């Protein structure tokens, strides 16, 4: 394994749980359960590979459009994950952050989120940013509101608005995404961290999330290492691709 040119911040859009279950004649719930099981193993591997920041798309605001039964199952499963994984995050020294709105979530879900955030806040080895009840467009709307409020309070003026100020007013202050993986073969972002991924490299494996294992992740990283990131500049002459 080559640790040259590793991404600092990796995003994962964990898609395909439903199809994984359907292929096996199982309920969508089992697909989600297997997705959560895979996530535990995968995170362990990712931090072991020296990747410091991981953002995962766990539940979008738009996912509330699903059947109530599926939504409730996902909420219960998430509480279990947030509660049961605390000891792992403490052992591995991972700080957990949540991005998204909390207003319309169940109280027991909010409590589990707050507890995990509070208990892991001093951990320094890695960061897990969980996008939960999240929408990338709403994150930008919320940042605009925060900025407007600061102007209103005479803390800043319109001339202070620039990319850095917008970034500072997003849900988290983290380095931009370097690499975004979306499993299951869907070729879209579905509102995932659209501000933070302006120059991210994308990777779309066909593998359904419950099957996206450590080996598949290493293949993804190899692909990232081959990419030539130009950020609008010219091709680096030292690169041979
Ligand atoms: C991803 O799997 C999990 C969530 C969106 C919560 P899906 O549930 O979207 O699975 P597919 O896309 O129906 O296969
Ligand atoms: C994106 O997947 C959201 C998460 C993975 C949490 P979806 O399955 O909701 O996205 P669409 O509906 O296919 O765009
Ligand atoms: Mg899906």
């Amino acid at each position: 394994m080559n640790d040259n040119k590793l991404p600092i911040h990796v995003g994962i859009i964990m898609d395909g749980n439903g199809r994984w279950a359907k292929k096996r004649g199982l309920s969508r719930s089992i697909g989600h359960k297997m997705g959560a099981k895979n996530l535990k193993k995968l995170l362990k591997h990712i931090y072991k590979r020296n990747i410091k920041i991981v953002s995962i798309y766990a539940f979008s605001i738009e996912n509330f459009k699903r059947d109530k039964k599926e939504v409730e199952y996902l909420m219960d499963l998430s509480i279990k994950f947030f509660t049961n994984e605390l000891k792992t995050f403490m052992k591995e020294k991972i700080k957990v952050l949540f991005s998204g709105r909390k207003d319309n979530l169940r109280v027991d879900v909010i409590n589990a989120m707050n507890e995990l955030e509070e208990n892991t806040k001093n951990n320094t080895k890695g960061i897990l940013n969980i996008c939960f009840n999240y929408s990338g467009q709403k994150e930008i709307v919320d940042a605009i509101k925060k900025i407007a409020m600061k102007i209103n309070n005479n803390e800043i003026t319109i001339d202070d608005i620039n990319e850095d100020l917008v970034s500072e007013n997003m849900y988290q202050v983290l380095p931009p995404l370097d690499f975004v993986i979306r499993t299951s073969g869907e070729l879209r972002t579905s509102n995932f961290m659209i501000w933070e991924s302006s120059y991210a490299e994308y990777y779309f494996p066909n593998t359904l999330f419950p099957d996206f294992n450590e080996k598949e992740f290493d293949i993804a990283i190899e692909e990232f290492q081959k990419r030539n990131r130009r950020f609008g500049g010219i091709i680096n002459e030292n690169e041979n691709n």
Side-chain angles (χ1 to χ4, degrees):
M1 264 180 321
N2 166 11
D3 270 3
N4 222 358
K5 280 202 328 191
L6 279 178
I8 293 170
H9 186 179
V10 173
I12 307 175
I13 303 172
M14 308 183 290
D15 199 13
N17 294 348
R19 278 163 284 168
W20 186 94
K22 195 173 176 196
K23 253 176 52 183
R24 291 164 176 77
L26 302 168
S27 67
R28 294 181 60 82
S29 304
I30 304 283
H32 294 312
K33 194 171 164 186
M34 296 311 283
K37 190 171 168 204
N38 184 49
L39 176 63
K40 291 181 202 173
K41 274 199 312 177
L42 194 59
L43 286 174
K44 210 171 198 175
H45 176 71
I46 295 176
Y47 294 115
K48 212 180 275 165
R49 282 222 54 188
N50 249 333
I51 288 161
K52 302 286 180 209
I53 311 173
V54 184
S55 286
I56 54 170
Y57 205 4
F59 190 85
S60 72
I61 289 186
E62 292 79 14
N63 287 147
F64 270 113
K65 292 179 193 162
R66 296 186 183 195
D67 228 51
K68 192 169 180 294
K69 253 182 70 188
E70 181 173 355
V71 171
E72 292 309 307
Y73 182 84
L74 283 167
M75 294 299 144
D76 293 341
L77 184 67
S78 301
I79 293 178
K80 265 192 216 147
F81 184 89
F82 302 155
T83 314
N84 295 343
E85 288 314 289
L86 172 64
K87 52 181 186 310
T88 312
F89 295 131
M90 294 312 288
K91 202 172 112 206
E92 314 253 319
K93 300 190 174 63
I94 305 298
K95 174 173 167 169
V96 180
L97 304 169
F98 283 96
S99 290
R101 291 185 176 171
K102 284 187 179 161
D103 51 359
N104 59 331
L105 289 173
R106 270 167 33 189
V107 178
D108 54 348
V109 180
I110 298 174
N111 288 343
M113 292 163 82
N114 289 343
E115 204 152 306
L116 185 54
E117 242 173 350
E118 181 59 31
N119 280 309
T120 60
K121 70 177 183 203
N122 295 321
N123 290 346
T124 51
K125 245 184 114 184
I127 293 175
L128 175 64
N129 173 36
I130 305 179
C131 292
F132 195 85
N133 199 32
Y134 175 87
S135 140
Q137 285 193 332
K138 284 191 170 50
E139 180 176 25
I140 296 171
V141 169
D142 290 347
I144 292 171
K145 286 186 183 169
K146 281 193 235 168
I147 292 169
M149 194 76 85
K150 287 177 188 169
I151 294 173
N152 224 13
N153 295 340
N154 294 316
E155 289 167 38
I156 55 169
T157 70
I158 288 178
D159 292 333
D160 292 322
I161 301 177
N162 57 26
E163 291 89 329
D164 288 341
L165 184 86
V166 175
S167 295
E168 284 159 22
N169 284 280
M170 301 304 274
Y171 293 139
Q172 311 297 345
V173 181
L174 294 172
L177 279 160
D178 298 300
F179 191 38
V180 176
I181 300 167
R182 180 177 187 146
T183 57
S184 87
E186 302 296 349
L187 306 179
R188 56 181 172 270
T189 70
S190 301
N191 227 344
F192 177 67
M193 298 184 81
I194 51 181
W195 174 267
E196 298 84 347
S197 55
S198 60
Y199 263 102
E201 296 293 326
Y202 282 89
Y203 180 68
F204 296 105
N206 287 325
T207 315
L208 304 170
F209 186 71
D211 291 331
F212 189 77
N213 58 20
E214 297 95 320
K215 194 165 162 245
E216 298 247 357
F217 181 82
D218 288 343
I219 294 170
I221 292 297
E222 274 171 36
E223 166 71 24
F224 175 83
Q225 289 167 323
K226 284 187 212 143
R227 302 274 178 98
N228 190 346
R229 302 182 79 188
R230 295 201 279 279
F231 300 97
I234 51 167
I235 297 178
N236 180 348
E237 284 180 21
N238 297 323
E239 304 273 352
N240 47 16
N241 54 348

